[in-house]
């Protein structure tokens, strides 16, 4: 899939977005896979420029899953060596924390459930945009 979002809490124009945070109105989150994020990476720059309170969660499996699906739909093999090579994001590997930093967004990498819990805890208390790469 491409992008999933949680709705942003409503705030008055004269209030910072962070004033809407409470246990009942969480920080907006954007969740997408690493392949689809390649289509929308410029959004990180906008989040940094506008200092939006958004946490971006990247599900990083190092492949273009949608392209593998489309190969299968159109008669191609999505499991062969050529298909795997053409739809891989592993060579060269994407460095999401470095990419986010290049757009002005602080980032963290989580490789375990505990690391993800800690990273989310840190991201939710920081002002401005945050990115967490969730390594699958």
């Amino acid at each position: 899939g491409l992008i999933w979002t949680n709705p942003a809490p409503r705030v008055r124009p004269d209030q910072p977005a962070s004033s809407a945070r409470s246990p009942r109105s969480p920080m907006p989150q954007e969740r997408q896979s690493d392949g689809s994020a390649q289509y929308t990476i410029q959004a990180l720059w906008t989040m940094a420029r506008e200092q939006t309170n958004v946490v971006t969660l990247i599900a990083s499996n190092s492949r273009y899953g949608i392209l593998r699906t489309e190969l299968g739909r159109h008669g191609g093999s999505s499991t062969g060596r050529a298909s795997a090579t053409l739809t891989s994001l592993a060579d060269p590997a994407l460095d999401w924390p470095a990419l986010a930093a290049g757009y002005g967004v602080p980032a963290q990498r989580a490789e375990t459930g505990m690391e993800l819990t800690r990273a989310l805890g840190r991201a939710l208390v920081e002002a401005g945009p945050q990115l967490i790469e969730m390594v699958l």
Side-chain angles (χ1 to χ4, degrees):
L2 289 178
I3 301 172
W4 309 288
T5 60
N6 287 347
R10 293 181 182 220
V11 294
R12 294 191 339 237
D14 61 327
Q15 291 180 322
S18 60
S19 68
R21 284 192 225 163
S22 75
R24 293 188 182 169
S25 64
M27 177 182 280
Q29 297 173 9
E30 172 201 14
R31 298 179 297 272
Q32 60 186 131
S33 63
D34 53 352
S36 65
Q38 293 302 299
Y39 296 106
T40 59
I41 193 161
Q42 69 277 9
L44 293 175
W45 182 83
T46 302
M47 289 179 212
R49 181 188 66 196
E50 300 298 326
Q51 282 301 291
T52 60
N53 291 316
V54 174
V55 176
T56 298
L57 302 169
I58 301 290
S60 182
N61 64 0
S62 297
R63 65 180 180 173
Y64 272 118
I66 188 66
L67 296 182
R68 288 186 183 184
T69 299
E70 289 302 315
L71 278 170
R73 286 183 184 162
H74 296 285
S77 170
S78 62
T79 58
R81 182 177 173 171
S83 295
T85 300
L86 290 171
T87 59
S88 173
L89 295 174
D91 187 21
L94 297 174
D95 184 341
W96 283 102
L99 287 166
Y103 284 95
V105 174
Q108 305 170 66
R109 177 178 284 123
E111 296 185 16
T112 68
M114 185 58 72
E115 288 177 356
L116 177 58
T117 299
R118 289 185 193 128
L120 278 169
R122 288 189 297 268
L124 292 172
V125 298
E126 293 294 326
Q130 301 284 319
L131 181 138
I132 301 171
E133 177 185 13
M134 302 179 299
V135 179
L136 305 179

